[in-house]
Amino acid sequence: MHVLVIGAAGMVGRKLLDRIAAEPGSLGGDIDRFTLVDVIEPVAPAVFASKSATKAADLSDPGVAEALIASRPDMIFHLAAIVSGEAEADFEKGYNVNLDGTRSLFEAIRLESKNAPYRPRVVFASSIAVFGTPFPDKIGDEFFTTPLTSYGTQKAISELLLSDYSRRGFFDGIGIRLPTICIRPGKPNKAASGFFSNILREPLVGQEAVLPVDENVRHWFASPRAAVGFFLHAATLDLEKVGARRNLSMPGLSALVGEEIAALRRVAGEKAVKLIRREPDATIQKIVAGWATDFDTTRATKLGFKAETAFDDIIKAHIDDELGGKIPG
C-alpha cells in the first residue's frame, strides 16, 4: 500500500503518523511506501523513514497535485488547511489553500483515472464550521450547512465536491467533520478556537493563559487522540455502509468553558485555574457565537467512531501524551 499524507507536518498529521508507526496494521494492510507533504517538509517517524519520501510543497501551487497523484497512492489523507482565524483574516489565502488546493487534488485524481483504472481512498479533514446559526438543540446529520465564516464555506464546498467525485467513481472519499481539537499541543496558533486549548495547556505547565470569552460559552470537543482514531477508522471503514452522504460529524463532548475550567481544577488544582486571565475579545466572541455547540452523532457512532465523554479524560489524555503522564512541578 502507498499512503499519501498531505498536511503531514501539522499536529494531527504528526500524531497520525506516530500512531501508524506504533500500530503497523492500523490501515488494514502492509504499507510499502509513504509520501509525506506539507508547506514545511515533514519528518517521517524513524520506523518507516527508509520507505518514506518527504516533500515541502503547497497543494494549491500549479502542478503539485498532479505530481503527487502521478505515483497513484492507494490511501490519501488530506489534512492540509489554514485555520479558521487566518482564513477569515486573509480571504484570498483561505480560498486558495482550503478550496482551490482541495479541488486541484480531486481533479488530479480524476484525470489520473483516465489513464488506467484508479480509485484511491480519500480521507478528508472537514470541520463543524460548515454549520451556521440558527441551530437546533442538537445538530443531526440531516441539518443543512449554512456556514457563517469563510473557513466554514471553504470546507462546505469541499464536502460537496468530495461527495460528487465519490458518486462519480473517481475516488472513494469520506469527509470527517472534526470537533474542536482540545488540548492541542505546542504553541498557540491563529485558530479562533485556540483559546479552548490555551486555557488548559498553559496552566498545566505553570504558565498564564488568556480567556477571551465568557465561561457560559458552549462548544463541541474531542482530543487529538480521538481525532487520530477518527482518521484511522475512516481509512478502513466499508464506505458502502456510509452511502451517498459521505461527510460525517464526529462524536465529541459538548461542554461549557466553565466546565473545562472545572475539569482543570479537578485534575490540576486551584493553582492552575488561577493562571487563567479574563480578557474579553469582541472579534473572537463574534466568531465563536456562530459556532455549533452540540451534535447528535448517532450515525457516526453506529459506524464505529468514538470520542471522550468527560472533559477530565481529555485533560488526562494530554497529560499522558504530551507531559509524560504527570503535571510538571
Side-chain angles (χ1 to χ4, degrees):
M1 182 190 307
H2 177 191
V3 178
L4 168 62
V5 182
I6 304 168
M11 183 272 290
V12 174
R14 294 194 309 272
K15 286 184 173 291
L16 175 65
L17 293 170
D18 287 343
R19 180 81 69 86
I20 295 170
E23 303 172 14
S26 56
L27 294 183
D30 294 333
I31 303 169
D32 37 53
R33 184 179 177 188
F34 286 91
T35 301
L36 310 179
V37 182
D38 211 320
V39 290
I40 299 170
E41 185 172 358
V43 176
V47 70
F48 51 69
S50 63
K51 54 185 177 182
S52 297
T54 61
K55 179 175 179 140
D58 186 334
L59 187 62
S60 62
D61 285 346
V64 170
E66 292 83 356
L68 294 175
I69 298 305
S71 59
R72 295 187 156 224
D74 305 289
M75 179 78 64
I76 301 170
F77 292 97
H78 178 22
L79 314 177
I82 63 167
V83 295
S84 54
E86 189 174 4
E88 199 67 14
D90 191 331
F91 183 86
E92 291 184 5
K93 184 177 181 181
Y95 273 89
N96 190 43
V97 173
N98 293 345
L99 178 57
D100 297 341
T102 299
R103 175 74 191 283
S104 294
L105 174 67
F106 293 175
E107 270 294 279
I109 297 170
R110 182 182 73 84
L111 294 173
E112 181 62 29
S113 69
K114 286 185 172 183
N115 300 326
Y118 175 54
R119 192 167 183 251
R121 171 68 58 96
V122 176
V123 184
F124 169 62
S126 190
S127 168
I128 59 172
V130 299
F131 299 109
T133 56
F135 298 126
D137 291 339
K138 284 182 179 285
I139 296 175
D141 282 305
E142 302 297 330
F143 191 66
F144 44 75
T145 55
T146 52
L148 296 177
T149 63
S150 294
Y151 175 79
T153 301
Q154 293 145 16
K155 290 293 187 180
I157 297 170
S158 297
E159 285 192 359
L160 289 171
L161 292 172
L162 178 136
S163 290
D164 197 39
Y165 278 62
S166 295
R167 179 184 67 84
R168 297 297 297 267
F170 302 131
F171 54 70
D172 204 16
I174 179 168
I176 299 302
R177 291 185 190 127
L178 291 172
T180 286
I181 302 305
C182 182
I183 303 168
R184 297 184 68 93
K187 297 180 179 180
N189 61 22
K190 295 182 180 180
S193 60
F195 70 89
F196 289 118
S197 289
N198 301 351
I199 62 170
L200 302 175
R201 182 185 58 237
E202 270 66 42
L204 283 171
V205 294
Q207 298 175 7
E208 188 178 72
V210 172
L211 175 61
V213 303
D214 188 88
E215 289 189 22
N216 289 323
V217 166
R218 180 175 290 279
H219 199 54
W220 186 246
F221 303 96
S223 73
R225 185 187 292 179
V228 169
F230 298 154
F231 287 109
L232 290 177
H233 187 61
T236 57
L237 183 63
D238 179 359
L239 295 188
E240 291 297 319
K241 296 179 179 179
V242 179
R245 293 181 295 129
R246 288 300 181 98
N247 300 282
L248 293 165
S249 298
M250 289 294 99
L253 171 64
S254 179
L256 300 172
V257 169
E259 291 171 333
E260 274 193 83
I261 295 171
L264 178 65
R265 181 178 287 109
R266 287 191 295 271
V267 174
E270 189 64 32
K271 182 179 178 181
V273 171
K274 287 183 177 179
L275 290 169
I276 300 172
R277 186 177 82 249
R278 277 69 174 171
E279 192 174 291
D281 184 316
T283 300
I284 297 296
Q285 290 171 348
K286 182 178 179 180
I287 292 173
V288 172
W291 286 348
T293 60
D294 202 357
F295 287 79
D296 177 355
T297 58
T298 301
R299 184 170 171 237
T301 301
K302 285 183 177 179
L303 287 166
F305 293 94
K306 300 176 182 178
E308 294 83 7
T309 58
F311 222 105
D312 298 52
D313 293 333
I314 289 178
I315 296 175
K316 289 173 183 176
H318 178 78
I319 293 170
D320 289 343
D321 295 347
E322 306 297 333
L323 303 179
K326 62 181 180 180
I327 301 170

